[in-house]
Amino acid sequence: QVQLVQSGAEVTEPGASVKVSCKASGYTFTAYAMHWVRQAPGQSLEWMGWINGGNGDTKYSQKFQGRVTITSDTSATTGYMELSSLRSEDTAVYFCVRGYNLGSHRPDYWGQGTLVTVSS
Amino acid sequence: QSALTQPASVSGSPGQSITISCTGTSSDVGGYNYVSWYQQHPGKAPKVMIYDVRNRPSGVSNRFSGSKSGNTASLTISGLQAEDEADYYCGSYTSSSTLWVFGGGTKLTVL
């Protein structure tokens, strides 16, 4: 069965960076993409970016362009999302979501989420 | 503000049917049959209920159905049950520089 297991909660200070990992299993890692989506407390889902699992191509939301870096390690079947220059508004639950390399690119299976708290 | 527009809340009694709308543009909802719907219970990760406008993943009840007309997609839940009470989000592929967009979410209350 498809499983996405994310790293644990993080507490960090304004101006710092955070890197969240997402270990995938139950499917061929390179045949699928990975999205990153965040959800601030009480707010809606917000798409951040996507990485093609086969060739490593990335796309980012303009809102996060320049601050977010999405990578993957195919040998470890793990995806990563790094967000820099953190501010209090970045406090949110961050999800990795399996997606598709082509066609709809739709997100389907979700990780459990990682709470990132930005506070001084 | 979210790229796709959903009503903030809907409600219905057990056994009734409700419909949640999701309005976008010709660059997303209207231009492609790539709309998904997600259910999220409090404190949980979202779960896909409908993909590609009207397809149900294995294991999702046939009480959930999807449709689209023009730039508006809809999720209908028939025979409402208490466990359907949750937040629902639509999402769509977009031809803009952003690959995927979500709606603002709709809170479903089962009375």
Side-chain angles (χ1 to χ4, degrees):
Chain A
Q1 72 283 18
V2 175
Q3 277 196 307
L4 298 169
V5 179
Q6 300 183 221
S7 49
E10 302 260 11
V11 178
T12 186
E13 294 185 339
S17 297
V18 70
K19 190 171 186 176
V20 179
S21 67
C22 175
K23 170 70 175 175
S25 61
Y27 67 95
T28 302
F29 187 77
T30 53
Y32 293 85
M34 185 174 285
H35 297 264
W36 287 88
V37 177
R38 80 176 187 181
Q39 186 172 38
Q43 301 301 309
S44 61
L45 303 173
E46 185 172 32
W47 187 82
M48 300 180 68
W50 164 99
I51 185 166
N52 183 311
N55 61 19
D57 283 351
T58 54
K59 274 190 178 286
Y60 299 118
S61 166
Q62 285 188 327
K63 176 175 178 177
F64 300 101
Q65 195 84 35
R67 282 210 302 144
V68 67
T69 304
I70 295 173
T71 57
S72 67
D73 180 342
T74 56
S75 63
T77 67
T78 299
Y80 303 92
M81 186 284 300
E82 183 170 22
L83 188 62
S84 62
S85 302
L86 290 167
R87 33 210 188 229
S88 59
E89 310 89 87
D90 293 317
T91 293
V93 176
Y94 290 76
F95 295 98
C96 61
V97 196
R98 193 185 76 163
Y100 287 79
N101 291 332
L102 300 170
S104 71
H105 299 83
R106 62 183 173 88
D108 57 9
Y109 289 92
W110 295 65
Q112 85 275 19
T114 296
L115 176 62
V116 174
T117 303
V118 182
S119 173
S120 55
Chain B
Q1 65 276 22
S2 301
L4 306 179
T5 301
Q6 298 181 234
S9 63
V10 298
S11 62
S13 299
Q16 288 186 331
S17 295
I18 62 95
T19 297
I20 300 171
S21 62
C22 170
T23 301
T25 69
S26 58
S27 295
D28 39 65
V29 173
Y32 308 90
N33 289 323
Y34 292 151
V35 176
S36 293
W37 288 92
Y38 304 89
Q39 176 192 65
Q40 186 180 35
H41 287 109
K44 301 294 187 182
K47 172 189 173 184
V48 62
M49 306 303 283
I50 296 287
Y51 66 93
D52 294 350
V53 175
R54 61 183 71 250
N55 295 313
R56 274 189 315 275
S58 174
V60 172
S61 170
N62 60 10
R63 297 185 299 105
F64 292 82
S65 62
S67 62
K68 190 185 85 166
S69 177
N71 294 337
T72 299
S74 298
L75 172 71
T76 297
I77 309 174
S78 60
L80 270 181
Q81 299 179 1
E83 68 244 36
D84 299 332
E85 185 163 292
D87 293 325
Y88 290 84
Y89 295 91
C90 62
S92 173
Y93 171 80
T94 174
S95 58
S96 72
S97 57
T98 302
L99 191 65
W100 190 265
V101 292
F102 288 103
T106 299
K107 181 175 181 60
L108 168 62
T109 300
V110 180
L111 301 170

